[in-house]
Amino acid sequence: MAAKVELTTRELKPGFGAEILGVDLAQADAETLKAVTEVFQNSGAILLRGQKMGPGDLMAFINQFGEPEGHTLGEYTLPGYPKIYVLSNRIVDGRPIGAHNDGVVWHTDYSYRQEPVMCTMLYAVEVPPVGSDTLLADIVAAYNALPEARREALDDLVVHHSFQYFMESRVYGKAETSPELFAQNPDVFHPLIRRHPQDGRKALWVSTGTVKGIVGMPEPEGAQLVDELVAFATQDEFVFRHRWEVGDVLMWDNRCTLHTGTLFDDTKYIRQMHRLWVKGDRPLAANGQPVFAPAA
Ligand code: SIN
C-alpha cells in the first residue's frame, strides 16, 4: 500500500532524483519515513538538508531501506556502530579517524562483491566551504541516450571486477591490505548493462576502480571501451553535482547511478561524513538473468 503522507519534493535535475523538503528525519513518524523510502525508490536519489542525526538516528533511518551492509575495511567504523563508516581527513592522537578521499573515481559501491550494495547514504558532519562535492550520474538516462544498435551490442557484455586490482591500482584513498583480505574478496563478474529489479529499467552500469576488463575482449580494447563508456555516462547532461552543507543526507540507488567524490584543500579544511550501506542483490543483466564467471 502506498504511503499516506504526501511529501513536498523537487527534482535534483530534470528527470532524476528528488530533494525532499520539510522533513526532520530524526523526528519523523512511520508514515512519513515510508513516504521518504517511496520517493527514493521512484527517483534514484534523494537529498534532505538541515538534518540533525546522531548514530542511532542514522541506523534507525537506514533500516527503513533494508538490512545495513558491513564494511570491508573495519578500522574506520564509528566506535560502537560497525555499520557506520567514517570518511574523514581528521587526525586524532596521531591516527586518522576515517578513510580520506575514499571514492574519488566514478564507480558504484561494493562492485567487487557478488552482491553489491543496493544504496549508499552519506550524512555530512563537517564540510569544507569549497570542494569535496559528490557527483551522481543517471546511468539509465545514459543507456537510453545510446543509439539502439549500440545498446544491443553492449547488452550481453560481462565485466570482470577485482578487489585486489582496485586496491593495488587506486590513486586516492590507498589503504592497508593483506593476502587474507584479497582471499576474502575474490574476483567477480557482473553485467555491463544492469536491469533494475524493481521495474526493469536498464542502466549503463560501467565503473572504474574495480574493473579489470571485459570478458572475451583483449586489452587494450576492453579498457578503452570502459573509458569511453564512463566518459559518455558522466557527461554533464547526466550528472547531478551536490555541494555539501552540514546536515545534508544524500542517498543514491547504486543499481541505476554511478558516483564520485571530488578533492578539496585538505591542508586547510576538514571533511567528515558518515556513510551507511544497504545490502543488495546479485545484479541482473539486460536479459533479466545474473551472469556467471567465464569457464577457466
Ligand atoms: C563514496 O564513494 O562512497 C564517497 C563519495 C564522497 O565522499 O563524496
Side-chain angles (χ1 to χ4, degrees), residues 15-162:
F16 176 74
E19 178 173 357
I20 300 174
L21 303 158
V23 173
D24 177 349
L25 289 174
Q27 305 296 329
D29 60 23
E31 278 302 324
T32 304
L33 291 176
K34 187 169 177 210
V36 169
T37 62
E38 282 182 9
V39 174
F40 172 79
Q41 278 149 14
N42 297 327
S43 322
I46 54 171
L47 167 66
L48 295 103
R49 301 200 105 139
Q51 304 299 314
K52 285 199 173 61
M53 300 179 83
D57 301 319
L58 293 172
M59 289 308 302
F61 181 57
I62 203 74
N63 271 296
Q64 303 288 323
F65 295 83
E67 191 184 337
E69 180 63 276
H71 299 275
T72 308
L73 305 174
E75 73 260 41
Y76 295 134
T77 55
L78 202 63
Y81 294 91
K83 302 290 166 70
I84 302 182
Y85 197 72
V86 179
L87 304 177
S88 182
N89 57 321
R90 188 182 292 286
I91 310 280
V92 175
D93 297 332
R95 180 186 165 270
I97 61 159
H100 181 33
N101 289 332
D102 195 53
V104 183
V105 285
W106 282 105
H107 67 288
T108 174
D109 282 339
Y110 232 31
S111 51
Y112 55 86
R113 287 286 180 109
Q114 195 78 273
E115 296 185 340
V117 290
M118 186 274 278
C119 76
T120 300
M121 167 186 172
L122 290 184
Y123 173 64
V125 178
E126 190 167 353
V127 293
V130 62
S132 94
D133 303 342
T134 300
L135 278 54
L136 306 181
D138 174 0
I139 51 173
V140 172
Y143 177 79
N144 289 334
L146 289 168
E148 192 179 344
R150 193 78 205 282
R151 280 184 256 151
E152 280 171 13
L154 298 176
D155 268 356
D156 295 330
L157 293 184
V158 174
V159 183
H160 180 174
H161 291 265
S162 166

Side-chain angles (χ1 to χ4, degrees), residues 206-252:
V206 66
S207 188
T208 59
T210 63
V211 173
K212 205 172 170 186
I214 304 276
V215 173
M217 206 173 269
E219 292 303 339
E221 283 87 338
Q224 284 165 353
L225 177 63
V226 170
D227 288 349
E228 178 215 323
L229 294 175
V230 170
F232 180 81
T234 59
Q235 296 172 91
D236 284 354
E237 64 184 292
F238 306 125
V239 170
F240 164 68
R241 173 181 287 270
H242 182 57
R243 296 190 168 85
W244 288 100
E245 291 170 13
V246 168
D248 286 353
V249 167
L250 181 67
M251 284 183 82
W252 57 87

